[in-house]
Amino acid sequence: MKEYDVVIGLEIHAELKTKTKVFCSCKNEFGSKPNENTCPVCTGMPGALPIINKKAVELCIKAGLCFGCKISNYAVMERKNYFYPDLSKAYQISQLVHPLCIGGQIELASGKVMRLNRIHLEEDAGKLTHISKSVGTLVDYNRGGTPLIEIVTEPDFSSAEEVDEFLKRIREALVFADIANCKMEEGGMRCDVNLSLKEKGSTILGTRTEMKNLNSFKSVSRAIEYEIKRQTEVLNAGEKVIQETRKWDDAKGKNLTMRSKEEAQDYRYFPDPDILPIAISEEDIAKIASEMPQLPQARRQKYVEEFGLPKYDAEILTTSKYISDYFEECTKLLNSPKKISNWIMVDLLKLVKEQEEFVFPISAQHLVEIIKMVEEKTINKTVGIQLLEKVIETRQPPKSLADKMGLLVTISNEQILELLQKLKAENTKVCEDYKAAPEKVVGFIVGYVMKNTGGKANSMLVKQLIPEVFG
Ligand code: ADP
Ligand code: MG
Ligand code: ZN
């Protein structure tokens, strides 16, 4: 049996986070009443004229900047003509010859570089709901005309694992940069998988299929494994892979022919005569670039290399921009990244772990104040955690709260010195032992002071004061 190389290229769609649609001013909103957010433009009434949403253009450019694409100075919206009931205009406005972003790449953890071909701006179609043969099909045009970006990759992938990592990186960046929500379950991010096999080592690509209807990371992986197996069997049986679009059925765990590419329409793309070409200046690009947050991968690298954090911490702290920003705000107030990381990962995240979008119930300033108090030993860690809970409950500043609650270590130097003198007078053996080998009795002396202050003395301070009395 022959051995094959797997070749995969992706087409990824993500819905942009704009308030309104891309070519009209209808709301871009998920979950409205059917056909509520529609107008003559997005339903394709004759004579209706489109406008273009600047924000959508900017977000597409921003996506390009995330992945190192070249941003075009001249971009054109084109009509892709085809009829389908969810597309009442009978054409989709998209980009073919002059997309907004060209090229780009993402480097995987292995060091392998995955090339992007382009990122372009287009509009989504409406949504069909098939009820039954007798009732028929319902159509909701709310989604029609909402802005999408399409990210097209080169056929650089050779496994489901690579695709999975890549998709996670795309999603992470788009969410971090506030470009898209990328909720796959809601259709906010969709991925079509183009897959072919070729003889091992050959440079000639085989015939590919395109798989659609993949709406979770898991189904993308399963669908790839399935299609590799299916094509291998076809080739091993001496047959040819047919170029076609196949629909993944996640419940059945298999895919089925949707339409064959042989009979694929010629879309007759042409520049939309109602939308002027988009001119993008270097200043426009620089302005968008200046609004870009640092992306998670760069942040992880900074956390490991500059802050000396373990990789694990860096991963957790970059699971959302909110956590990462919060952590960085803390490090600006206190240069103890690992301590801060521990408090966030152990003590704060568990408080919000059930919530999808959360805000920590304590400000970075207050958290840092508590961490400082523990570091300076005015309270110990256990008391620190109690204090954290109280601050969350009362929203009061940690220091004054700890003071009110009597949590602070309040034993003065004089009181410590007095206790040390008392011990010296009572216990001559300790004095002799201290003279012989101080390190052997320091623990005992500190323990004595602690016992006689109800544990409220600062042990560091006690250690500092011992030589004054015993030395
Ligand atoms: P189309 O316009 O028909 O969708 P494209 O050339 O734009 O075709 O390619 C679409 C996707 O298919 C891209 O992600 C590309 O990397 C991928 N692709 C192209 N040829 C192959 C192949 N032989 N095997 C796997 N993927 C491929
Ligand atoms: Mg395609
Ligand atoms: Zn509209």
Side-chain angles (χ1 to χ4, degrees), residues 33 39 68 87 111 127-128 168 170 181-182 230 243 257 291 300-301 360 379-380 389 415 445 448-449 458 460 471:
K33 274 196 296 190
C39 75
L87 186 75
K127 196 171 161 36
L128 299 177
K168 285 182 177 148
I170 293 266
N181 282 327
C182 295
R230 191 190 69 84
Q243 184 167 353
T257 300
E291 289 157 7
R300 283 193 285 271
Q301 196 175 347
F360 286 137
I379 52 175
N380 64 30
E389 285 163 6
Q415 284 169 289
I445 301 173
Y448 173 87
V449 176
N458 179 331
M460 294 265 282

Side-chain angles (χ1 to χ4, degrees), residues 194-342:
N194 297 271
L195 190 149
S196 65
L197 299 181
K198 62 179 175 65
E199 273 184 41
K200 208 165 185 68
S202 165
T203 51
I204 303 158
L205 294 183
T207 305
R208 73 181 143 121
T209 60
E210 179 175 352
M211 263 188 299
K212 290 192 176 291
N213 199 35
L214 304 166
N215 42 29
S216 71
F217 283 85
K218 197 123 186 242
S219 56
V220 171
S221 291
R222 290 177 68 208
I224 290 173
E225 299 298 350
Y226 176 88
E227 185 61 10
I228 292 172
K229 198 159 158 271
R230 191 190 69 84
Q231 288 191 19
T232 305
E233 283 166 11
V234 168
L235 293 177
N236 282 342
E239 291 162 19
K240 282 199 171 121
V241 172
I242 300 165
Q243 184 167 353
E244 61 184 354
T245 304
R246 299 181 70 90
K247 186 176 175 173
W248 174 251
D249 184 329
D250 205 47
K252 295 203 177 87
K254 61 185 203 174
N255 66 30
L256 297 162
T257 300
M258 222 167 116
R259 57 175 180 261
S260 132
K261 276 268 172 172
E262 256 99 320
E263 62 205 48
Q265 312 93 314
D266 176 352
Y267 292 116
R268 299 276 162 157
Y269 276 94
F270 67 88
D272 192 305
D274 294 334
I275 303 173
L276 287 174
I278 307 164
I280 303 135
S281 68
E282 291 306 319
E283 292 80 66
D284 294 332
I285 300 169
K287 180 160 183 295
I288 297 167
S290 74
E291 289 157 7
M292 290 274 292
Q294 189 176 36
L295 293 179
Q297 213 200 359
R299 293 187 191 219
R300 283 193 285 271
Q301 196 175 347
K302 178 170 77 184
Y303 297 175
V304 172
E305 289 171 10
E306 285 176 36
F307 294 171
L309 291 188
K311 261 199 178 140
Y312 177 76
D313 292 40
E315 287 285 338
I316 305 274
L317 293 171
T318 53
T319 44
S320 80
K321 181 166 178 293
Y322 174 74
I323 299 176
S324 182
D325 285 349
Y326 184 96
F327 166 72
E328 292 190 14
E329 197 184 336
C330 291
T331 59
K332 283 190 190 118
L333 299 166
L334 176 71
N335 185 21
S336 297
K338 181 59 186 155
K339 290 235 161 64
I340 294 165
S341 167
N342 288 347

Side-chain angles (χ1 to χ4, degrees), residues 131-191:
I131 304 294
S132 68
K133 264 217 171 103
S134 55
V135 177
T137 296
L138 302 177
V139 63
D140 175 5
Y141 288 119
N142 280 346
R143 203 179 65 181
T146 66
L148 291 178
I149 48 169
E150 177 170 346
I151 303 173
V152 183
T153 78
E154 296 297 340
D156 286 349
F157 300 84
S158 48
S159 70
E161 290 75 31
E162 284 177 0
V163 170
D164 190 63
E165 185 184 343
F166 182 88
L167 288 177
K168 285 182 177 148
R169 292 283 299 284
I170 293 266
R171 180 181 62 175
E172 176 182 83
L174 295 180
V175 172
F176 237 79
D178 213 23
I179 294 167
N181 282 327
C182 295
K183 292 190 180 151
M184 272 187 116
E185 341 64 78
E186 287 178 11
M189 179 171 166
R190 285 162 262 161
C191 175

Side-chain angles (χ1 to χ4, degrees), residues 392-408:
I392 290 170
E393 196 185 304
T394 64
R395 311 250 153 203
Q396 289 183 42
K399 264 221 179 90
S400 61
L401 191 62
D403 201 15
K404 267 187 241 161
M405 291 169 68
L407 298 177
L408 290 181

